[in-house]
Structure formats: structure tokens, C-alpha cells
Amino acid sequence: MYEFRMPLLGADMESGLLVEWLIQSGQKVKRGDIVAVVETEKGAVDVEIWESGVVDTLLVPPGTEVPVGGIMATLRAEGEAAAVPTEAVSAAPSIAPAAPAPPPRVPAAAPDPAAAAAHYKVSPAARRRAEQLGVDLSGVTPSGPERVVSLADVERAAQGATAPAPPIPDKQEAMRQAIATAMAKSKREIPHYYLGSSIDITRAIDWLAEENRKRSIKDRVLLAAVLLRAVVLALRDVPELNGLWVDKRFQHSDAVHLAVGIALRGGGLIAPAIRDAQLKAVPELMASLSDLIRRARGGGLRSSELTDATVTVTNLGEQGVETVYGVIYPPQVALVGFGRVSERPWVVDGAVLARKVIYATLSADHRASVGHRGALFLAGLERLLQEPEKLA
Amino acid sequence: MNTDEIRQALIDALAEIAPEGDFVALKADRPVREQLDIDSYDFLRWMIALNERLGVEIPEADYPKLTTLNGAIDYLAAAASTSKR
């Protein structure tokens, strides 16, 4: 009998709220199937199962907060006898939320005229619950900082709440706490070393502009996708930067599950992974990146995207900073940072020219690699970016 | 399409990308990216949305002309009038 447990969907996670089961007792499932929707501080996640078999018993009802590692269901192999029937839980969700909604602490703000146009996104979990409860989504105002209608918002509306939505700080505070826990753990446990390098990126930018001229607007590629490709290729030569530190040793990964730091509207941060990035050329990386950003901000990330990352890239150049030395996400062992592209005087063949330059950094776990190897990675990255047509 | 309709299309598209933005207070002569939290991915989505709503394909080289709301309105009005021939 296989025990399906609440997965760790981020280094910071302590528990998740089971929103909905997408399977029922007796159903056949295969590895990779989405079996449940779990709400975390960063939004609703579609959780996949990593075993194949037949669903035996759903042990936890929807609406329950389950600690990471807590057992949620059992799975049996085909042909294995079913467990002695205990009080099995039906797949129909219960309506009562896990905790009563807190009373509002501040009076409602004056209605925002732009908000009256109701351009609100709705999380997938909220949409399903609204259907089940018969709630009209156009009348629901999101309370969270993302301005995305959440499960809690729908349940409040269903209870006929005419009181104003709870204050925004609640969800923002939870997100802040989650990030605080993860970052504190990283700095406590990982001996970081830091390396940085200025890279002349003029050729890559010119090549990209030429490529984009040939493409329709929907197929345009951002510089970020080119940088991600270069990172993936550079990791081939320094494999001790791609993998996980587990049980006091480094586990190298052949696959590069490349996590990308994505800023959430309202001030949060999440780093879901592009799985098997090593198999994707630049246009596919761009499509994956677009899709990931859309789902990170609007709901629909899969649990494997949050658990399987082998390395992370963070790109804060948009905000104007030149350099970012990031904090590694445990159990990964490296984080690559890119600052903004700026025009600099640069020496090319003995003459001073105006060139577009970007500052690339590596934060790495000194238990898994030494500075010399980190330096080889950055040197490889620089070399790759001088021949962008070979990256494609 | 007159400039009011163009302006509304621009704002509607922007509101889908940055739903928390205050579009009433948005200054039309200052860069949009200074007033709203929009990155290059969001800007590209905005360009794609304008392409879908207005049928105008905006080349990358012209992006600097659309930094402010007024700049975007002028650009799209000019693009619309040239395509009417």
C-alpha cells in the first residue's frame, strides 16, 4: 500500500490546505496524474502523484490543513486487496472552512473606480468552488494583495457575507513569513560563496533583435530566454552546480530543472521550475517561461514545478539594479543572478566602444563546489553569450 | 477608431496585466513603467493584447515610442490612419 503524503512545495512550506480531491476511491491513477488541488500561501497548486495504482482510501476531507509529510490518501497496486473499509471520505467537498473568517479590522476603503470594472482573475480552486456553491463570481471582490479571487473569497461570498473583505495585510504577511523561513534556513545551513562577472552582451542583443524582426509579435523572444539557454549550456561543463544537497552529500542531476524567480504582483516571490530545460531551444524556453509566469501569477502551477528545481536563475535587471547576489533555495546548490543591461565604455580590439554590458553572478554552496569551478561556469557563460547564433 | 477608443483599449489591456493599478490617477505624459509595476514580460503581453484588440503589429524598434500613454495613443492613431488607405 502506497501512502500519498502532502508534498513540500517550497522550502518554506509547513502545511497546505487540501482544497479538492480530483480522484475517488477505486479510480486507477498513473504517475504524474494530478490528483488534488492544494492551496499554499503562494496560491493553488495542482498536485501530482508519483506512483501508479488504484486509489484505496481518501483519508483527509477537503478543507483540511495538512502538515507537510502528513498522509492524505492510500494507493494500492492493481490486484492488491483493498484495505478494510474505514470511514472513507467522499470526494464531495465540505463547505465549512478550516477556521472561521476573521472579523474585518478596518472599515472598507472607498470603492476604487477601476476596480468597479472588475478585471479580477480567479484562481482555479476558487472557480471550481464557486461552481459547486452557485456563487456569481462577478460579485466577488478579492481580498488578497494579488487582486486574484481566492477560495476564501468565494466561501465568504457563499456565506452571504455583506461585511467588507478582510484587510489585505493577512495574506501578504503569510507570504512574507514563508519567504522569511526559507531564506533564514538557506543562510543558516548553506555556506554561500559569491562570484560575479561583467559580460559584453551586445552580440546577443543584436542577434535577438534580428530574430524578433523575423517573428510575429506572439513569437517574440525576451532576452531572459537567451540568458536561460546560456545558463543551461554552461551547466554542462560544471555539473556540481546543478543538483541537490541531500543527506550530507551532493546529488548531481542530469536533467536541468531550471527555476526562475518570479515576482508576484503585490510583493511576493515564487520560483517554479521549467522542467527538462536542457531539452529546450530558445523559442521553447521562451514559451515555457511565458507559461510559467502566467500560471505563477494567475494560478495553476503544478507541484512538480515547485519541488523538482535543480538550480535557480534570478533576473532583477528590470528593476534597474546592476548586480544581484541571491540567496540559494535549499536543497539546491546554486543561484545565477543577472542585473540590468547597461551601455558602457568597453575595450574591443584596443579601441573604446559603447557596448551593452550585463553583470552575471553566481551564488554557490561551498559544500558542493569550489570557487575555481564556479569561475569556470561564469567564464563558460560569457563565452556562450558571445556566439548567440549557436545558442538557438 | 478615435483617440478615446484607443485610450480605452490601451487601459483595458493594461488593466488585465496589472489589475491592482490605479488607472484613474495614471499620468498620461509620464512613463507607464514608472507608475505601474510592469516588467518586460508584462510589456510584451501589453503589445500582444494591443495587436489582438486593434490589429496593429508593433515592431520592437518602435517600443520606445510607447513609453507613455500619450505616446502610445499618438502611435496607434497614426498606425490606424495609415492602414486605412
Side-chain angles (χ1 to χ4, degrees), chain A residues 193-199 323-325 337 358-363 371 374-375 378-379 381-382:
Chain A
Y193 72 86
Y194 305 95
L195 301 176
S197 204
S198 298
I199 298 179
T323 313
V324 50
Y325 287 107
I358 196 171
Y359 202 75
T361 59
L362 173 71
S363 306
L378 283 178
L381 194 62
E382 170 155 20

Side-chain angles (χ1 to χ4, degrees), chain A residues 112-114 119 121 146-147 208-209 212 215-218 220-222 265 286 290 293-294 297 318-319, chain B residues 15-21 23-24 33 37 39-42 44 47-48 51-52 57-60 63:
Chain A
D112 179 357
H119 289 288
K121 294 199 174 80
E146 298 288 322
R147 312 310 284 167
L208 185 60
N212 277 336
R215 293 161 160 268
S216 85
I217 193 167
K218 289 185 186 38
R220 272 186 207 160
V221 174
L222 293 174
R265 309 209 72 85
M286 179 65 196
S290 259
I293 294 174
R294 185 181 53 80
R297 292 179 179 164
E318 306 273 352
Q319 280 65 35
Chain B
E16 279 178 15
I17 291 161
E20 77 289 347
F23 297 100
V24 175
R33 286 176 73 164
D37 189 6
D39 60 25
S40 61
Y41 169 74
D42 295 323
L44 180 57
M47 296 295 104
I48 290 173
N51 176 236
E52 282 167 3
E57 184 138 332
I58 303 166
E60 272 194 324
Y63 284 177

Side-chain angles (χ1 to χ4, degrees), chain A residues 4-67:
Chain A
F4 175 64
R5 293 175 179 274
M6 176 66 74
L8 179 69
L9 299 170
D12 41 332
M13 182 182 168
E14 287 177 358
S15 65
L17 177 73
L18 173 66
V19 169
E20 188 185 353
W21 282 114
L22 300 174
I23 48 170
Q24 52 204 12
S25 188
Q27 184 177 334
K28 273 195 204 144
V29 292
K30 58 183 199 306
R31 193 184 150 97
D33 283 351
I34 297 175
V35 298
V37 180
V38 167
E39 182 109 16
T40 67
E41 281 117 357
K42 303 204 177 164
V45 178
D46 296 329
V47 180
E48 297 139 310
I49 195 162
W50 291 112
E51 282 290 326
S52 301
V54 177
V55 178
D56 192 85
T57 317
L58 300 177
L59 296 164
V60 165
T64 313
E65 190 84 22
V66 181

